[in-house]
Amino acid sequence: MLLTLLSNMEDAFKRALATKGEKERLRAADEDDRRRDAIIAEQGLDRVFDGNWQGLAGQFLLQWYSHSTHHQRLVLATKEGIVLAAPPRRVTVGREKAMQIVARLPADEAILVDPFSGAHETRMLLLRFRDGSWLRVDTEELRSDLHTHLLRQPLPDN
């Protein structure tokens, strides 16, 4: 909580000391963030998945923790599809060493999609299944390697 307060104070000082051009750039970035957040809420992308437990995404989500109780997954995009890895149990130190493949999704079953097609910087990706259902995947960084990979791919038909 203290770190959040200090971060907010730092942002306020930066804005107060910014040049006119920097202030305009910050205002434009804030407006872009508001537009992105409105789209997220409008399309329901603020949820973990599309809400259909009978869909492929819902069924996959039900099995998600049977593979590993750890909440984070390593997501790899390959030509053959998507690979998810996770440590077998909740660990905080050395989890990268304990990673095991917990799921493989063939390309004809599911694809990764940037819901904004690169128009907005975001940590969000969608794991979209062939029936149209989706599961939200949040990356650790803005414009992750997965986002960069997706921007280089042709847009999906659906």
Side-chain angles (χ1 to χ4, degrees):
M1 188 168 174
L2 178 61
L3 292 176
T4 301
L5 178 63
L6 290 173
S7 176
N8 290 344
M9 287 174 51
E10 180 184 15
D11 288 344
F13 282 126
K14 283 182 183 177
R15 287 179 183 273
L17 299 174
T19 65
K20 184 178 180 179
E22 290 170 336
K23 286 181 182 178
E24 185 59 38
R25 185 184 56 75
L26 290 169
R27 258 188 246 109
D30 288 346
E31 182 59 34
D32 188 53
D33 288 347
R34 280 191 287 280
R35 279 193 305 273
R36 181 200 61 223
D37 293 347
I39 292 169
I40 288 172
E42 177 183 305
Q43 294 183 6
L45 299 176
D46 50 349
R47 298 178 296 171
V48 173
F49 80 116
D50 65 357
N52 178 5
W53 288 105
Q54 302 308 313
L56 292 173
Q59 292 298 304
F60 183 78
L61 191 59
L62 288 171
Q63 296 174 13
W64 186 268
Y65 282 103
S66 68
H67 298 298
S68 169
T69 59
H70 199 278
H71 65 286
Q72 292 181 329
R73 297 287 189 268
L74 175 65
V75 179
L76 305 166
T78 69
K79 290 180 183 177
E80 294 80 29
I82 301 164
V83 178
L84 295 119
R89 62 188 182 288
R90 288 191 176 268
V91 292
T92 55
V93 178
R95 68 178 178 252
E96 292 82 13
K97 294 177 188 173
M99 288 280 186
Q100 298 174 352
I101 294 175
V102 295
R104 291 179 191 267
L105 298 168
D108 64 345
E109 187 176 323
I111 59 171
L112 282 171
V113 177
D114 178 349
F116 300 106
S117 301
H120 298 281
E121 282 193 350
T122 178
R123 289 180 168 82
M124 181 191 319
L125 292 172
L126 298 180
L127 183 55
R128 187 172 302 278
F129 290 81
R130 71 174 174 255
D131 67 351
S133 62
W134 54 265
L135 174 68
R136 180 176 163 159
V137 177
D138 292 330
T139 60
E140 290 185 350
E141 58 196 30
L142 289 172
R143 290 280 164 92
S144 69
D145 290 342
L146 284 172
H147 285 91
T148 304
H149 170 76
L150 293 175
L151 287 172
R152 292 183 182 142
Q153 304 303 310
L155 292 174
D157 293 334
N158 50 351

